[in-house]
Amino acid sequence: MTQDWARYWRSPDRPLEAMHAHFQRHAYHRHSHDAYSFGVTESGLQAFHCRGGAHTSTPGTVLAFNPDDPHDGHAEAEPGFTYRIVHIGPDLVRAVLADTADGRGALPLFPDPLVHAPDLAAALRRLHTALLDGSPRLATDELLHGAVLSVVRHGATVPPPTAAISDADAVRVAGRVRETLHEHLAEDVGAQDLARAAGRSRFAVYRAFRAVEGMAPSDYQRQLRLRRARALIATGVPLAEAAALAAFADQSHLTRWFTRYYGVSPGVYRAAAGHAVRVGPPPTASRCPVADRAPEPGGSAHRRGR
């Protein structure tokens, strides 16, 4: 049986991260990212729920999640799936677009979480490979620029369709609940507290929030705490202290949920600043086509000098 493995990399100075992984047993809890998340399935079937529907990504397909787009994920069948994913912060996308010819253009949005675009998949693979292989900054900057422009070409510039919310008050209720959870992130907020803040019953609050945000208030609260812990860890705060500051019971509690949301442990995330860190056995063979490798410094991706 193939074991789960992962390689994770994150930039120490900009909102850019990448992971290459094979999962058979691991299942992602429903979550979202504060960045664009673009994955390319390399082998197997990758199943997930997003925007009210069930989807399956096949080899070569691009997964496109907009910022704050709730989704989960698991292997559809044995022996699991292998994929690459890049997380690119909206500010970084905006900065790249500002350097284009006219400096204008709205941030792209994807109405469908599955995109069949070989050129986009290739651009993301090249960027991903360069990041995990530790290519020079100039090379990765060029590949990032190319990947973002490919994203823009394939993305929409209008918000994707969302499920209709019959009760117009639901948006206001969800907004008040969000504010309360943000303001009291470290406190033990209960359903009655949210109902009191929103001026509605506990059931009405739960229903409205789930309709607007795509997840339960408790999942949203946990995600806020994970994002805080993640930010603290990235600045060098010790894991146990980050767990306490983000309102987790202890470090093991943080580790359990961090892994379910991000696919790697907090320790791996901390160690991955500027270079890729591997967890689990290595893959048997690389699935990255030669044409998709990052260019070597001072040469072409197609040179055979080594």
Side-chain angles (χ1 to χ4, degrees), residues 54-131:
H55 309 272
T56 300
S57 179
T58 56
T61 303
V62 173
L63 299 95
F65 300 120
N66 300 312
D68 296 313
D69 213 355
H71 58 280
D72 55 18
H74 64 276
E76 178 77 7
E78 294 185 0
F81 65 92
T82 303
Y83 81 129
R84 299 174 181 267
I85 191 163
V86 179
H87 305 289
I88 309 175
D91 288 343
L92 189 52
V93 173
R94 189 177 288 109
V96 170
L97 293 179
D99 286 337
T100 57
D102 57 15
R104 297 187 298 273
L107 287 174
L109 292 170
F110 287 79
D112 193 319
L114 292 179
V115 181
H116 301 281
D119 60 322
L120 175 57
L124 292 169
R125 270 194 226 102
R126 287 191 291 268
L127 171 61
H128 186 283
T129 303
L131 296 176

Side-chain angles (χ1 to χ4, degrees), residues 257-270:
W257 281 107
F258 196 101
T259 304
R260 289 187 67 182
Y261 273 60
Y262 300 120
V264 294
S265 71
V268 170
Y269 182 80
R270 177 182 59 185

Side-chain angles (χ1 to χ4, degrees), residues 114-306:
L114 292 179
V115 181
H116 301 281
D119 60 322
L120 175 57
L124 292 169
R125 270 194 226 102
R126 287 191 291 268
L127 171 61
H128 186 283
T129 303
L131 296 176
L132 265 68
D133 287 354
S135 295
R137 180 70 172 242
L138 180 58
T140 57
D141 283 349
E142 292 170 352
L143 291 169
L144 174 63
H145 187 90
V148 168
L149 292 184
S150 184
V151 163
V152 171
R153 283 196 298 271
H154 290 283
T157 55
V158 295
T162 56
I165 301 172
S166 57
D167 182 2
D169 190 51
V171 175
R172 187 200 66 79
V173 170
R176 187 68 192 101
V177 170
R178 278 198 311 273
E179 292 173 3
T180 302
L181 292 175
H182 278 267
E183 291 169 2
H184 303 280
L185 184 147
E187 300 176 24
D188 189 19
V189 176
Q192 188 58 45
D193 298 317
L194 297 181
R196 188 179 302 112
R200 296 290 184 274
S201 70
R202 288 179 293 181
F203 177 73
V205 165
Y206 179 89
R207 183 178 58 186
F209 192 88
R210 192 172 179 87
V212 173
E213 294 296 333
M215 63 178 70
S218 60
D219 282 335
Y220 188 89
Q221 179 191 57
R222 185 185 302 111
Q223 180 167 274
L224 286 179
R225 291 173 173 177
L226 284 168
R227 288 183 180 180
R228 172 175 284 188
R230 194 163 165 261
L232 291 169
I233 292 168
T235 63
V237 173
L239 300 184
E241 184 179 349
L245 291 173
F248 286 91
D250 51 31
Q251 184 176 330
S252 63
H253 185 212
L254 168 64
T255 297
R256 183 166 65 253
W257 281 107
F258 196 101
T259 304
R260 289 187 67 182
Y261 273 60
Y262 300 120
V264 294
S265 71
V268 170
Y269 182 80
R270 177 182 59 185
H275 65 278
V277 175
R278 179 182 297 283
V279 181
T284 56
S286 172
R287 295 180 180 273
C288 181
V290 171
D292 289 341
R293 291 177 185 162
E296 299 175 8
S300 164
H302 300 285
R303 285 173 58 181
R304 298 291 188 270
R306 293 189 291 178

